[in-house]
Amino acid sequence: MSHPVISDRVFNSVESSTVQIADKVKTLRESGKTVFDFSAGRAFEDTPSYVCDAAVAALNRGETHQTMARGTTEYRQACASKLARENNIIADPEKEIVATMGCKQGLTIALLTLLNPGDEVIVEDPCFVSYRQIIHYAGGRPVPVPLLPKNGFRWRREQLEAAITNKTKAIILCTPHNPTGTVHTYDDLEEVAVVARKYSLSVITDEPYERTVWKDRQHTNMATLPDMKNLCVTLMSLTKSFSMGGWRIGFNYAHEDLVNQMTKLQQHLITCVSSISQAGGVAAFGQPERDEVLTFRREWEDKVQFCTDALNKIDGLKCDMPEGGFYVWVDISEIDISSEDFANGLLDDQNVAVIPGEAFGEQGKDYFRFTCVKSWDEIKNGLSRIEKFIDKF
Ligand code: GLU
């Protein structure tokens, strides 16, 4: 360490593989290189024009000032109307919703609200790359519990019971799951809920992919299960489903006592979410989705299926069509290479960026994650380059 004053908490944490690799792609492209990017979960499509128009209109009306810390009344009402329309959840927009800068920031204020130093949080292994780091930043300790392929990347109740100690405070669950693509059914969620009720644990559900469920599957919200509403913090965002990643906009739905504490954190940490993003969020959440967004999301399913089939045809690679989400979780155990070396080699040799599975946890060491929602041209070029790279082994 060259600078004399850097905290252990930050120094000892690792970079976000998704963001770091996506940034590296941008730097390579800025230097004139052609790179095929399947790293971070960022869709190719621009935000639907009706959402952009709403934000521009707000700017032109002079809505350029800070808003209430928990979000504008209109935005929270739009979030509540979305929960009623799509999730069968009746939420009080005054008390049970707080605007966030997307699910990561929503997770940060949830964990800061729930944890005392040394408290434990059960996470899926593999899980989204930032969970473990954010738990550490909030003073907690992540306890990974494997999602095994033989169980369809789903937890069993006994696994959770075995991981519980007197320090366990919360469980984080992502559905549809990043990176494996599992869509948790009511019964899957009930396996977790039984344990949460028994030990009075909080369950944080990360649901940014809720609208990307394939083949007539249904997304189920943990908060709708019996006696779960008060134990849950539901993280929602527009990043994925509306291709609004750069807007940094979402919300947390939780018991009013938790929302009051999380709002206190927003007051100190960010004052409020961008007024312009909230205006866009009113258009996106406040009405049934328009054709523009439904059309590109329908095409995502075709892309996910196409990528799964093409990756499966490459010798040495194995993967299943994800039940939801837009990532393919590709098994490379037949090739004699670590996932880190695979991802680095693929980028160096073929200018193709993917995320190494080990970034998602110990269980990911024989996998890489491939993001499918790119242009057809990029997908086809990238896949043929992966084939060329694998021919070398
Ligand atoms: N959540 C996305 C992913 O898993 C975007 C990158 C990030 O925010 O970490 O790729």
Side-chain angles (χ1 to χ4, degrees):
M1 190 184 336
S2 53
H3 194 280
V5 189
I6 297 178
S7 76
D8 294 343
R9 190 177 51 244
V10 176
F11 187 78
N12 294 335
S13 66
V14 297
E15 280 194 68
S16 155
S17 195
T18 48
V19 175
Q20 183 255 322
I21 294 174
D23 284 359
K24 186 170 174 184
V25 170
K26 280 201 196 299
T27 308
L28 288 170
R29 284 179 174 168
E30 280 170 12
S31 74
K33 222 172 184 164
T34 302
V35 185
F36 303 88
D37 184 16
F38 309 99
S39 62
R42 298 174 184 171
F44 158 74
E45 290 80 6
D46 293 330
T47 300
S49 58
Y50 68 96
V51 177
C52 297
D53 291 347
V56 171
L59 269 171
N60 289 331
R61 280 196 306 271
E63 290 179 23
T64 54
H65 306 279
Q66 290 173 342
T67 73
M68 289 165 77
R70 62 176 68 217
T72 63
T73 303
E74 295 76 16
Y75 179 63
R76 284 178 286 112
Q77 282 169 346
C79 297
S81 77
K82 173 255 181 292
L83 289 174
R85 205 173 51 244
E86 297 174 6
N87 307 96
N88 211 14
I89 290 173
I90 303 304
D92 182 343
E94 291 298 314
K95 298 183 177 143
E96 296 177 327
I97 286 171
V98 55
T100 65
M101 296 171 66
C103 291
K104 277 201 241 188
Q105 205 261 331
L107 177 65
T108 308
I109 57 172
L111 289 170
L112 285 168
T113 297
L114 295 170
L115 302 185
N116 283 317
D119 284 343
E120 294 175 3
V121 182
I122 294 176
V123 294
E124 297 157 312
D125 180 4
C127 68
F128 174 51
V129 298
S130 293
Y131 293 168
R132 284 161 295 152
Q133 303 307 323
I134 299 175
I135 293 167
H136 281 301
Y137 295 152
R141 200 174 79 79
V143 178
V145 175
L147 295 176
L148 301 172
K150 67 171 187 202
N151 297 336
F153 296 111
R154 289 167 160 84
W155 275 333
R156 292 278 161 82
R157 186 182 315 186
E158 314 75 71
Q159 288 179 281
L160 293 176
E161 292 254 14
I164 285 171
T165 71
N166 59 3
K167 294 258 182 210
T168 311
K169 284 287 168 60
I171 299 172
I172 305 178
L173 183 102
C174 180
T175 184
H177 185 253
N178 176 8
T180 66
T182 303
V183 174
H184 290 286
T185 62
Y186 186 97
D187 290 346
D188 296 336
L189 297 179
E190 185 56 28
E191 283 285 287
V192 181
V194 166
V195 178
R197 290 185 204 107
K198 180 168 165 190
Y199 297 93
S200 299
L201 303 178
S202 191
V203 182
I204 303 173
T205 56
D206 185 18
E207 308 185 22
Y209 304 93
E210 59 160 342
R211 291 177 171 95
T212 57
V213 286
W214 312 133
K215 306 215 189 303
D216 300 323
R217 288 189 179 83
Q218 293 285 322
H219 172 74
T220 311
N221 299 84
M222 178 67 100
T224 61
L225 268 64
D227 301 324
M228 286 306 292
K229 179 183 158 164
N230 290 347
L231 292 176
C232 281
V233 180
T234 304
L235 314 181
M236 295 279 185
S237 125
L238 286 164
T239 295
K240 311 294 174 186
S241 51
F242 274 71
S243 207
M244 287 176 69
W247 298 61
R248 312 313 301 130
I249 178 84
F251 68 92
N252 286 4
Y253 160 64
H255 185 279
E256 72 168 289
D257 292 348
L258 293 180
V259 167
N260 286 337
Q261 301 303 319
M262 292 191 282
T263 301
K264 201 196 306 177
L265 285 163
Q266 296 302 56
Q267 291 169 358
H268 289 296
L269 295 176
I270 62 166
T271 306
C272 65
V273 172
S274 148
S275 58
I276 302 143
S277 297
Q278 290 186 63
V282 172
F285 279 140
Q287 60 186 313
E289 296 167 307
R290 296 209 196 154
D291 279 351
E292 212 179 321
V293 63
L294 294 173
T295 306
F296 72 60
R297 216 170 306 128
R298 263 193 297 272
E299 196 177 13
W300 288 357
E301 182 165 3
D302 295 340
K303 288 182 174 173
V304 173
Q305 185 71 65
F306 180 87
C307 294
T308 308
D309 294 344
L311 287 161
N312 254 325
K313 282 192 193 125
I314 300 175
D315 269 351
L317 303 185
K318 279 184 298 193
C319 52
D320 292 321
M321 171 73 184
E323 296 168 353
F326 47 51
Y327 306 117
V328 186
W329 187 233
V330 189
D331 182 337
I332 52 168
S333 56
E334 283 177 13
I335 306 172
D336 188 20
I337 191 169
S338 74
S339 71
E340 192 78 41
D341 289 347
F342 182 93
N344 287 335
L346 187 59
L347 187 53
D348 292 345
D349 270 36
Q350 295 294 333
N351 300 331
V352 172
V354 298
I355 304 295
E358 59 202 76
F360 300 87
E362 172 66 26
Q363 296 294 320
K365 65 181 178 13
D366 288 331
Y367 293 83
F368 70 88
R369 193 194 74 175
F370 183 95
T371 299
C372 307
V373 284
K374 302 294 172 173
S375 72
W376 282 111
D377 201 39
E378 187 165 23
I379 290 173
K380 286 176 186 165
N381 269 302
L383 288 167
S384 73
R385 281 162 174 267
I386 292 179
E387 192 164 8
K388 261 194 228 144
F389 177 67
I390 289 180
D391 270 352
K392 294 190 183 156
F393 293 94

